[in-house]
Amino acid sequence: MTRTLEVDLGDRSYPIHIGPGLLHDPVLYRPHIRGRQVMIVTNETVAPMYLAPLRAALDGLEVREVVLPDGEQYKTLEVWNRIFDALLDARFARDCTLIALGGGVVGDMAGFAAACYQRGVPFIQVPTTLLSQVDSSVGGKTGINHPAGKNMIGAFHQPLAVIADTETLDTLPQRELSAGLAEVLKYGLIRDPSFLDWLESHMAELLSRDPEALAHAIRRSCEIKAQIVAEDELESGQRALLNLGHTFGHAIETASGYGNWLHGEAVGAGMCMAADLSARMGWLAEADVERVRSLVTCAGLPTEPPPELDAERFRELMAVDKKVLDGRLRLVLLTAVGEAVISDEIDQDQLMATLSARRP
């Protein structure tokens, strides 16, 4: 069954379609394609599985594609430029449409290219991983990495539609599935304790890819994200709550070399660290810290950062973060399960204790 949600941004509102077999449905694409020229941006892993059916759904249009290498380590300025090479070689005009077919890396790069090509052209998200279906395809954050920091170069550029075909998760490696669950857990931790309860009791079904359980998790995650984005599109306030664990996680990704830790793996460990720091500052009960660690473990994710990342280097990397304002580090911390706050009043001794701590 298809479920459609809406991200309410006034005249820039757009639908999120969630359900099986949607990638093949031309009816979902045509209302959002203004001209005849369509550029599909995908990668070497996804293209053999889903490029042909997507092209078939776009029959009658002038469709080209650019196939990028697969992996976070390729989310670079050089690889991103291949999208512009393809657009210019094909002489695509300002009424062209880009379609991002793939996971979060493809969506971020295609969206950023759409934001920049001829000062902005429309694009559609067709996410094929759990992480991209529940998080990165929704909300208009686009960008690429820099060696000094993750997602430091980018733009807000909302898609015209998100088409999340749940059947694409059947081909997702188990490690990628677990990585997506990190973002699903995040929504329960920051805003919906009853959803977290549900996740606790249905984790086995999610890991075994039960279609109904996955569909519910995706829908509820998108509902929460759509609500927060509608409240604060450009992250001037409450939208930053969506970054629970991410400042720690981005530092882990940068230190480890992009692609060695999956984004969701780093966020899983980062959420545990955020819970630990929250407890050290007296905001969160120890029992809740253990609950967060247990949930992350049950999702098949790491709860600790890499042992070789020492506390001082960790803090240096966290200082190169989009959430630093006026030289003050802002972190998303928990005051209870289901309640989060954004704070720049971080006790530095407690922060260093969290960054130094390693559990057996």
Side-chain angles (χ1 to χ4, degrees):
M1 182 182 74
T2 301
R3 174 75 179 274
T4 299
L5 314 173
E6 184 172 90
V7 180
D8 185 3
L9 294 172
D11 59 1
R12 291 176 299 105
S13 298
Y14 57 90
I16 307 169
H17 303 292
I18 304 164
L22 303 189
L23 188 147
H24 309 260
D25 188 352
V27 173
L28 298 179
Y29 301 95
R30 295 307 172 101
H32 308 292
I33 297 174
R34 189 173 55 193
R36 295 194 68 258
Q37 296 176 318
V38 177
M39 179 67 70
I40 300 171
V41 181
T42 187
N43 68 33
E44 293 168 346
T45 301
V46 174
M49 295 183 284
Y50 300 117
L51 181 56
L54 177 54
R55 287 188 66 104
L58 302 171
D59 186 48
L61 299 170
E62 181 187 347
V63 180
R64 305 287 181 91
E65 69 269 345
V66 55
V67 180
L68 306 177
D70 182 18
E72 187 79 30
Q73 66 270 34
Y74 299 111
K75 195 175 166 185
T76 64
L77 187 64
E78 292 76 19
V79 175
W80 178 62
N81 196 51
R82 298 186 195 179
I83 303 173
F84 298 113
D85 290 341
L87 289 164
L88 291 166
D89 287 347
R91 300 180 184 273
F92 270 33
R94 295 188 71 179
D95 62 350
C96 72
T97 302
L98 272 64
I99 297 181
L101 173 66
V105 171
V106 166
D108 281 3
M109 295 178 78
F112 188 30
C116 296
Y117 186 65
Q118 299 200 31
R119 299 187 176 89
V121 297
F123 84 112
I124 296 168
Q125 289 270 22
V126 185
T128 61
T129 66
L130 181 59
L131 191 146
S132 59
Q133 290 185 1
V134 301
D135 189 67
S136 61
S137 66
V138 179
K141 278 189 176 181
T142 71
I144 56 175
N145 298 331
H146 185 277
K150 184 178 167 71
N151 292 332
M152 295 302 290
I153 305 165
F156 285 97
H157 191 57
Q158 300 292 346
L160 296 186
V162 178
I163 300 169
D165 186 340
T166 54
E167 288 183 350
T168 62
L169 302 182
D170 294 342
T171 57
L172 193 66
Q174 195 68 27
R175 185 183 174 195
E176 294 272 2
L177 186 76
S178 286
L181 288 172
E183 298 286 3
V184 176
L185 288 172
K186 173 192 74 179
Y187 292 113
L189 287 170
I190 65 171
R191 183 158 284 202
D192 190 347
S194 63
F195 182 42
L196 201 68
D197 293 341
W198 183 90
L199 290 169
E200 226 163 13
S201 60
H202 291 81
M203 189 60 72
E205 290 97 316
L206 292 168
L207 287 169
S208 64
R209 306 174 196 242
D210 177 80
E212 290 187 13
L214 280 172
H216 176 75
I218 295 166
R219 285 197 302 269
R220 185 62 191 132
S221 297
C222 287
E223 285 171 352
I224 294 171
K225 178 138 193 198
Q227 181 184 32
I228 292 174
V229 170
E231 293 169 0
D232 178 22
E233 180 184 0
L234 301 181
E235 202 173 290
S236 58
Q238 290 300 294
R239 180 168 175 172
L241 293 175
L242 294 168
N243 294 312
L244 176 68
H246 283 59
T247 301
F248 295 102
H250 288 169
I252 291 170
E253 289 183 84
T254 303
S256 302
Y258 297 123
N260 291 312
W261 278 59
L262 296 180
H263 176 65
E265 293 171 337
V267 168
M271 291 191 298
C272 292
M273 298 181 78
D276 178 83
L277 179 57
S278 300
R280 291 178 188 275
M281 293 181 63
W283 295 359
L284 188 67
E286 281 292 342
D288 288 332
V289 178
E290 292 306 317
R291 187 181 181 197
V292 173
R293 291 177 63 85
S294 176
L295 280 161
V296 170
T297 299
C298 288
L301 296 165
T303 60
E304 303 286 344
E308 66 273 14
L309 181 52
D310 67 80
E312 196 54 51
R313 176 61 176 152
F314 216 133
R315 185 162 65 174
E316 289 174 5
L317 290 168
M318 290 171 68
V320 185
D321 187 272
K322 300 184 297 302
K323 292 169 283 300
V324 172
L325 292 178
D326 293 329
R328 293 176 68 88
L329 177 65
R330 294 187 305 156
L331 291 175
V332 182
L333 300 177
L334 297 171
T335 55
V337 168
E339 295 181 17
V341 295
I342 307 153
S343 177
D344 63 0
E345 297 179 358
I346 308 299
D347 184 303
Q348 292 301 306
D349 290 338
Q350 301 291 9
L351 174 61
M352 289 301 284
T354 290
L355 297 180
S356 303
R358 298 291 189 275
R359 301 196 188 189

